[in-house]
Amino acid sequence: MSAAANNAVSGPDGRLWGGRFEEAPADALWRFTVDTSDRRLLAVDVAGSQAHVAMLRDVGLLDAAEHDALRSGLDAIAAEAAAGAFDFEPGDEDVHTAVERRLGELIGPVAGKLHTGRSRNDQVAFDLRLYLASAGRQRIEQLREMIAILADVAEQHADSIVAAYTHLQQAQAVPLGHQFLAYAWMLLRDKERLEQAIVRLEVSPLGAGAGAGSSLPLDPARVAERVGFPRYFDNSIDAVASRDFASEYVFVVAQCMVHLSRLAEELVLWSTSEFGWVTFADSHTTGSSALPHKKNPDIAELVRGKAASVLGDVMALLAVQKGLPLAYNRDLQEDKRSVFHADDTLSLALEALAGMVATATFHPAPPTAWVTALDLAETLVGRGVPFREAHAAVGALATRLVGEGRALDSVTVAELTAAHVGFEPDDLRCIDASGSVAARVSPGGGSPSSVHSQLEQLRTYLA
Ligand code: ARG
């Protein structure tokens, strides 16, 4: 019997693939090629192995005793992993090797049967898929929570009238709640995108082996079923070579970070003394080491700042794949850095920002009267005046008032009726932000009733 058959590991210093080698790996090779970031795949790696050995027994590649030995060893490793008591060793090339090494220590030579009909190539693709499917579900829960918080604040501010901005200039009056709901809808789409990404994640690559399948009677469908994946691969090369499932996940995460970053920017802006729309809780702001009066919105600033490197993760992950020949190449090991970094960042950002919004006090300032300029023009439109003519009349009135250093609400009846023959004295009423908001009837527009119907719709989708 060869050394390999006697032990789960083989080679001069115990490397898994050592049988082919007469020299031990150089330290520089080891330092360069070993990536310990995959250690967080330990639990999913063991779960995949548990499903794999069950399949091997079902198809007759393991007898019952062998299966039971492997299963008990894997269960013990799963328990060690759950207790944080699994010890990695410097000689472990990756998480897969570490598990096989540990299995050999626990159950002896029969551990050598674990890798039957399997390669680390299909194994690592599987691990990442299972990891992301579960991470994705956690992010979905966090998004659900964040959306619910935004909905609650929106409801509290369904009647708080503020300016909606275009070009950061006051444009039209809206309830503050309408602005919060804009973010809620963005995040709801991110949640949907994650749900759809999970459909493409839950495809098992196990059974693809190194890339071409196996001469052994493997049953990938059974493995998929045991891990709860609805499908398995159609093409073994595609199964081990492709990482579009990871690119898609990281894109969705990046898009979500961009949405959070925009919300964060809003919060920073609103918290300035110039805006004065929000006060953050002490627990969710930080102080200045130099300026005694300050409370800084650091969570929001860091959501904005950290979004930058997540955008980089999308690029890095795509770039890793772009020049690879089929099928597996070690380059793919780099996928995990981008995926973990992006996902961890989103998780922490959602947690921190949710707390910041939930504990904040919003006290928005009323808009200037200029936000009703369009309403004034639309009053004429309602009387049959072409919009362009109405726009010109109100525009000319605005030019005059601005020239005199006056606001729109200082206009007199005489000035208004002189601005266009279609104006009636009573139209002065239109120059009122809350009247403007209440009169807004277009579906999905910025009015209190729209805020309430959006809330109803949103909460139905969330339920
Ligand atoms: N650590 C490797 C990765 O993350 C696992 C697969 C290694 N496969 C191989 N043929 N060397 O991609």
Side-chain angles (χ1 to χ4, degrees), residues 170-378:
Q170 294 203 4
Q172 287 178 276
V174 293
L176 178 60
H178 195 52
Q179 307 211 23
F180 280 113
L181 289 180
Y183 286 105
W185 289 112
M186 292 178 215
L187 297 181
L188 188 77
R189 287 193 298 278
D190 293 332
K191 176 180 155 292
E192 279 170 15
R193 273 186 276 268
L194 273 174
E195 285 158 1
Q196 288 153 5
I198 288 175
V199 173
R200 277 176 290 280
L201 279 168
E202 292 193 321
V203 179
S204 175
L206 284 177
S214 171
S215 63
L216 301 170
L218 305 176
D219 190 347
R222 277 176 195 264
V223 180
E225 200 188 307
R226 277 183 193 276
V227 296
F229 280 9
R231 290 185 293 151
Y232 70 95
F233 63 95
D234 295 296
N235 178 303
S236 58
I237 290 184
D238 179 34
V240 298
S242 298
R243 292 293 183 273
D244 51 289
F245 67 87
S247 311
E248 184 178 8
Y249 189 92
V250 176
F251 163 73
V252 176
V253 166
Q255 180 62 72
C256 187
M257 281 301 297
V258 166
H259 288 151
L260 295 182
S261 178
R262 293 186 70 169
L263 172 59
E265 164 60 13
E266 218 79 72
L267 294 173
V268 171
L269 204 59
W270 293 353
S271 71
T272 57
S273 27
E274 286 75 8
F275 264 80
W277 288 15
V278 60
T279 305
F280 296 118
D282 280 3
S283 58
H284 286 75
T285 44
T286 52
S288 162
S289 63
L291 306 168
H293 65 291
K294 290 192 72 190
K295 285 211 266 170
N296 296 326
D298 287 18
I299 290 177
E301 290 170 52
L302 281 168
V303 166
R304 216 171 46 187
K306 285 173 189 280
S309 60
V310 175
L311 305 193
D313 292 328
V314 179
M315 206 43 72
L317 186 53
L318 289 171
V320 159
Q321 298 163 65
K322 81 173 210 3
L324 295 184
L326 295 175
Y328 176 84
N329 298 269
R330 190 71 181 269
D331 312 45
L332 291 174
Q333 177 167 284
E334 292 294 305
D335 60 1
K336 287 179 278 302
R337 290 174 178 278
S338 316
V339 166
F340 295 153
H341 175 263
D343 187 54
D344 291 347
T345 306
L346 177 61
S347 174
L348 291 170
L350 278 169
E351 185 188 20
L353 199 60
M356 186 182 211
V357 175
T359 56
T361 311
F362 293 92
H363 37 69
T368 69
W370 291 112
V371 295
T372 62
L374 177 61
D375 300 276
L376 212 49
E378 284 181 349

Side-chain angles (χ1 to χ4, degrees), residues 17 33 35 38 41 93-97 119-125 210 243 328-336:
W17 32 255
T33 61
D35 171 22
D38 70 355
L41 296 176
E93 190 177 17
D94 50 31
V95 66
H96 327 291
T97 319
S119 157
R120 283 181 294 167
N121 299 351
D122 56 349
Q123 201 178 346
V124 73
R243 292 293 183 273
Y328 176 84
N329 298 269
R330 190 71 181 269
D331 312 45
L332 291 174
Q333 177 167 284
E334 292 294 305
D335 60 1
K336 287 179 278 302

